[in-house]
Amino acid sequence: MSKLSNLFMTVCAWALGIAWILPLLYAFWAAFHPAETATSFDLTAPLTLENFKTAWQQAPFLSYMINTVVITLMILIVQLVLCTLAGYALARIEFWGRGVVFALILMQLMVVPEILIVENYQTVASLGLVDTYLSVGLPYFASAFGIFLLRQTFMTVPQDLENAARIEGCSRLQIIWKVYVPLARPTYLAFALVSISYHWNNFLWPLVVTNTENSRPLTVGMAIFGAPESGVDWSIVSAGTLISISLLLVLFLIFQRQFVQSFMNSGIK
Amino acid sequence: MKKTNVIQAWLLLLPALVLLVAFTHLPTIKTIWRSFFSIGERTDTGFVIDNYQYLWEDDVLWQVLGNSFWYLIGTVPTSIIIALTMALWVNSKLKGRSFLRLAYFTPTILPMISVANIWLFFYSPEIGLFNTVLGWFGHDGYNWLGDPEVALTSIMVMTVWKEAGFFMIFYLAALQGIRPDLYQAARLEGAGSFTILRRITLPLLMPITLFVLVNAILNAFKMVDHLFILTKGGPNNASNLLLYYIYENAFSFFDTAYASVLTVLLLLILVLLALFQFGVLERRIHYR
């Protein structure tokens, strides 16, 4: 009985697993087959790379990809610096109003930047920054999530280490850099992976503030490329899709353990 | 010494605070202000409540709120139950569980826009995968995205697919945190698998369930990317959601004032959610 129910569970689990990667499997199928066989699932159909060539020629994927990489890395680096400084101050310096400041920061966990697109667009426009990398990053640079995560981690660092460093003559910034940053490495990795996958995939805000391929990331590019009005067929859209997710997918497959672990840690703390 | 400490603290916080105030707090206040002091794109109107009056008359808004409500009811419990089931499977001794974990988690890291393009094909009426499969059983299939009766459900199915793996991760972390001796003790007492699940595992997963619940609700209001690809809120607003409606008003109809009113509405919903979280959830989470 128990064996039977176990088998049943395994079958269900696998069925669900296959259903869950089906869209990805299909994208691979369609991308490597000519348009006529993309919808027929004939196993003997010839393979082709033609779709990738066409997709690559029809949309400026290279610019999109460069934009996405630059935007994602820019946001990550600025976030790491700002969140480290703020997280340290909140974790280790006592000052009047600390609780209030912390509460104000945490507000961003609820009122996420996506919700304020109308007003933030006005701000970016009045600064004359529409259609720049900077405009895509600005609302995300100060990440409440990152500050919170690093504050929690920094609070677990023994105070003695900081005191010892101070006696050695380290300044505040040196203490952060030499004591706190190395000890919080797992938190940085977790935050980095979450941030990268978030901003690689982000769509609504980049859609609002980018106008041309000078700053448009892959997601916005894909939305234009895949639109039915553009008249491309399934095979080519699939090829484009694979191009757009390739870098992230490779990164994910290489670091899958860290990815899963990072998402776990970041949720729990 | 103490004074320099305080100055240093504020200096360290300054860059993050300036950006947070400029892109979270000020816009929140300005949204409320704009909703009372402008009409359309005009800002020289003085105090008006026309925008709020229009809220009541706007049939589309009520439809959108209804959609958002059903979207919430349809996606949140389903994704949580599937996520929990996935986590239990992946955490047990099933064959190939590392592959399954990978499979379940993959939709989470893929861009919504890209995968929506693939789902667009699944849902397409003539050649789409779903209708082809239904055709094998002699069914005529549905116009998944074109039929007002079905469109929102189709959107929900894709949302559950995208979200479940993400929530699974939180459950997985919680499951791995349950002390094994609890299970051993229960087994010694002669408890079966189902009793253990009901009496030990599920109660211990309550705090994380509440955490996931809040995040899932927040996501239900935040997640509209797939609408841009699949339905654009249509047909006839049948699958339009609040945030998408805000986007439409601001950037397609250029009615910034009304978009601000709608944003205020969304902010109110989030405040309620926050009160729920701190009022109800925090108290329960700390029971251990």
Side-chain angles (χ1 to χ4, degrees):
Chain A
M1 180 59 206
S2 155
K3 251 200 179 131
L4 201 69
S5 74
N6 217 345
L7 182 73
F8 176 70
M9 249 172 49
T10 313
V11 171
C12 288
W14 273 84
L16 196 69
I18 288 168
W20 244 241
I21 51 164
L22 194 64
L24 197 59
L25 292 181
Y26 172 74
F28 272 98
W29 171 273
F32 286 101
H33 286 88
E36 310 85 71
T37 49
T39 54
S40 70
F41 308 108
D42 176 3
L43 283 179
T44 59
L47 296 171
T48 173
L49 286 174
E50 208 50 41
N51 300 318
F52 288 92
K53 233 172 95 185
T54 319
W56 192 264
Q57 284 162 353
Q58 284 187 358
F61 276 107
L62 191 63
S63 325
Y64 292 158
M65 206 176 281
I66 292 171
N67 294 342
T68 294
V69 171
V70 173
I71 289 168
T72 309
L73 287 181
M74 170 189 74
I75 292 178
L76 178 64
I77 291 165
V78 179
Q79 278 178 336
L80 289 179
V81 174
L82 295 190
C83 297
T84 301
L85 300 180
Y88 170 82
L90 290 169
R92 277 294 141 88
I93 308 179
E94 290 214 25
F95 58 93
W96 187 84
R98 183 165 74 164
V100 178
V101 169
F102 190 46
L104 281 175
I105 290 174
L106 290 188
M107 239 187 82
Q108 197 210 31
L109 291 179
M110 268 298 165
V111 185
V112 288
E114 280 76 23
I115 285 158
L116 297 167
I117 47 171
V118 181
E119 220 47 61
N120 281 344
Y121 178 79
Q122 305 286 341
T123 310
V124 166
S126 68
L127 292 171
L129 288 173
V130 173
D131 206 25
T132 59
Y133 291 148
L134 194 60
S135 68
V136 183
L138 270 173
Y140 296 98
F141 284 154
S143 160
F145 175 61
I147 294 172
F148 178 69
L149 218 55
L150 284 168
R151 170 186 175 266
Q152 303 302 92
T153 311
F154 289 161
M155 278 167 56
T156 64
V157 173
Q159 182 73 44
D160 293 347
L161 286 178
E162 174 165 353
N163 297 343
R166 176 144 323 128
I167 291 164
E168 298 275 321
C170 286
S171 71
R172 192 68 87 173
L173 288 177
Q174 281 173 324
I175 291 172
I176 296 175
W177 181 244
K178 288 184 176 154
V179 178
Y180 286 87
V181 172
L183 286 171
R185 205 168 286 158
T187 306
Y188 282 110
L189 180 68
F191 177 72
L193 291 178
V194 174
S195 170
I196 288 172
S197 59
Y198 189 94
H199 291 288
W200 191 284
N201 298 341
N202 201 10
F203 172 71
L204 190 56
W205 175 247
L207 173 74
V208 168
V209 289
T210 62
N211 295 328
T212 64
E213 60 182 85
N214 294 330
S215 64
R216 205 175 263 159
L218 273 170
T219 47
V220 181
M222 265 315 285
I224 299 165
F225 179 68
E229 304 91 84
S230 67
V232 287
D233 62 49
W234 292 115
S235 299
I236 294 168
V237 171
S238 298
T241 304
L242 288 188
I243 295 174
S244 77
I245 61 176
S246 53
L247 263 177
L248 193 66
L249 197 63
V250 169
L251 201 68
F252 171 60
L253 289 175
I254 296 172
F255 291 105
Q256 40 146 320
R257 207 162 277 279
Q258 285 88 337
F259 257 97
V260 173
Q261 211 68 42
S262 305
F263 275 80
M264 276 208 236
N265 295 339
S266 59
I268 292 312
K269 278 177 187 158
Chain B
M1 186 62 204
K2 196 145 193 328
K3 208 166 183 183
T4 53
N5 269 351
V6 173
I7 294 170
Q8 280 180 342
W10 284 105
L11 282 177
L12 291 169
L13 281 164
L14 193 68
L17 279 184
V18 167
L19 283 165
L20 266 172
V21 168
F23 289 97
T24 302
H25 302 99
L26 269 183
T28 305
I29 297 165
K30 275 162 71 185
T31 303
I32 300 170
W33 180 268
R34 196 184 293 272
S35 74
F36 284 111
F37 287 90
S38 68
I39 292 175
E41 288 193 300
R42 280 175 50 209
T43 51
D44 55 352
T45 55
F47 179 83
V48 286
I49 53 163
D50 300 35
N51 301 313
Y52 283 90
Q53 261 167 359
Y54 184 61
L55 270 187
W56 298 107
E57 297 155 19
D58 183 10
D59 294 336
V60 176
L61 172 71
W62 293 103
Q63 196 183 355
V64 166
L65 286 179
N67 289 343
S68 296
F69 174 76
W70 288 118
Y71 184 69
L72 192 79
I73 299 293
T75 57
V76 172
T78 330
S79 358
I80 290 181
I81 290 167
I82 294 181
L84 176 60
T85 315
M86 284 173 167
L88 289 170
W89 278 338
V90 170
N91 199 43
S92 69
K93 291 186 180 65
L94 280 186
K95 279 213 168 58
R97 61 197 159 134
S98 46
F99 164 77
L100 288 176
R101 191 180 68 174
L102 186 64
Y104 295 153
F105 187 61
T106 304
T108 303
I109 59 129
L110 298 179
M112 187 62 131
I113 291 298
S114 302
V115 289
N117 273 314
I118 306 170
W119 278 80
L120 187 61
F121 164 73
F122 283 7
Y123 281 142
S124 86
E126 302 293 326
I127 46 168
L129 181 76
F130 289 159
N131 278 354
T132 308
V133 172
L134 284 177
W136 295 341
F137 299 100
H139 191 287
D140 290 341
Y142 296 97
N143 190 354
W144 298 97
L145 301 171
D147 182 347
E149 299 284 316
V150 194
L152 187 62
T153 314
S154 305
I155 297 284
M156 290 197 248
V157 171
M158 193 204 155
T159 309
V160 170
W161 170 80
K162 185 81 168 74
E163 293 235 285
F166 180 54
F167 298 141
M168 170 194 77
I169 295 298
F170 299 122
Y171 276 120
L172 203 52
L175 280 173
Q176 291 176 356
I178 296 178
R179 299 206 322 269
D181 51 327
L182 284 174
Y183 291 122
Q184 285 159 6
R187 290 226 182 273
L188 280 178
E189 298 282 333
S193 312
F194 186 69
T195 317
I196 290 179
L197 179 69
R198 209 167 64 94
R199 297 275 177 191
I200 297 179
T201 314
L202 291 185
L204 284 175
L205 289 179
M206 261 331 257
I208 200 74
T209 302
L210 296 170
F211 169 82
V212 169
L213 181 69
V214 169
N215 274 289
I217 297 174
L218 185 60
N219 270 0
F221 284 107
K222 215 173 74 175
M223 230 155 95
V224 293
D225 292 5
H226 45 342
L227 293 184
F228 285 86
I229 301 289
L230 295 178
T231 61
K232 302 210 184 313
N236 218 345
N237 292 308
S239 63
N240 206 341
L241 299 173
L242 189 51
L243 184 55
Y244 190 82
Y245 193 48
I246 292 175
Y247 169 85
E248 278 190 322
N249 272 288
F251 300 103
S252 304
F253 313 149
F254 300 104
D255 192 343
T256 322
Y258 192 53
S260 301
V261 177
L262 295 171
T263 308
V264 171
L265 199 65
L266 184 51
L267 287 168
L268 278 177
I269 295 173
L270 294 177
V271 168
L272 287 178
L273 187 60
L275 290 177
F276 170 68
Q277 183 179 21
F278 290 112
V280 184
L281 304 192
E282 291 293 297
R283 224 177 304 154
R284 289 216 202 162
I285 282 176
H286 293 301
Y287 75 93
R288 280 198 281 194

